[in-house]
Amino acid sequence: MCAWIYPRSNTTDQDIFFYGSQANIQMFLVKISSRIDIGDWNSESVSSAASISRDRWYHICAGRQNATSNNWPNQTIYINGVLDSATKDDRYTIGGGETNIFAIGSDSYGSNFFNGTIDEVMFFNRTLNSSEVSVIYNMNMSV
């Protein structure tokens, strides 16, 4: 998923995007505190190296693929068109099925609200590579 975010606060966990089921902890969660985090309900699997300031626009792309047999990173965070963090984590998978909940700006319980603006959200059925993220970021910067 990619989006432009404008956080007005960065002091507590705020969900940018949530998909999955909290009951079986099969989910894809993108949140912000002082960094961008990808994880499940209980822990972060990868956090951005860059700190996120408030009252500033950021373009973020966060990707998560279910684990594969290779050693490639299956979780990535891009900030402003540049790869910030990548890791391989096969502890959990993204759930599928009718009980999954999809939310932008909060979690499935209607809490952990994002304090700020989320704009131009894009979802893909696969993780994007660096070239694709760069094109999306630069395309939006030229408008």
Side-chain angles (χ1 to χ4, degrees):
M1 66 83 50
C2 295
W4 284 93
I5 62 167
Y6 187 92
R8 292 194 178 89
S9 168
N10 62 356
T11 57
T12 60
D13 287 347
Q14 302 171 56
D15 292 353
I16 299 168
F17 170 73
F18 176 96
Y19 173 77
S21 167
Q22 292 176 348
N24 59 14
I25 311 179
Q26 293 184 336
M27 63 183 60
F28 178 49
L29 172 65
V30 181
K31 65 182 183 176
I32 182 175
S33 52
S34 60
R35 302 184 189 286
I36 302 294
D37 300 314
I38 299 175
D40 62 22
W41 188 249
N42 295 318
S43 65
E44 292 78 39
S45 297
V46 61
S47 295
S48 65
S51 294
I52 302 299
S53 301
R54 61 186 190 94
D55 300 324
R56 180 176 170 214
W57 281 104
Y58 294 91
H59 185 260
I60 63 162
C61 289
R64 168 100 173 77
Q65 290 181 312
N66 287 336
T68 60
S69 60
N70 59 41
N71 289 320
W72 296 340
N74 62 339
Q75 295 185 118
T76 53
I77 298 173
Y78 292 85
I79 299 176
N80 295 333
V82 177
L83 180 63
D84 178 275
S85 299
T87 190
K88 179 168 175 44
D89 186 346
D90 55 7
R91 292 179 295 161
Y92 63 94
T93 60
I94 300 170
E98 297 175 8
T99 61
N100 286 329
I101 296 169
F102 176 88
I104 297 174
S106 73
D107 65 19
S108 64
Y109 291 122
S111 58
N112 293 338
F113 291 103
F114 180 77
N115 181 4
T117 302
I118 302 172
D119 196 16
E120 297 184 31
V121 179
M122 302 172 81
F123 295 97
F124 303 90
N125 62 358
R126 61 183 174 77
T127 300
L128 302 178
N129 64 41
S130 294
S131 298
E132 293 167 324
V133 171
S134 180
V135 166
I136 292 169
Y137 172 72
N138 288 315
M139 178 178 56
N140 286 314
M141 289 299 294
S142 64
V143 175

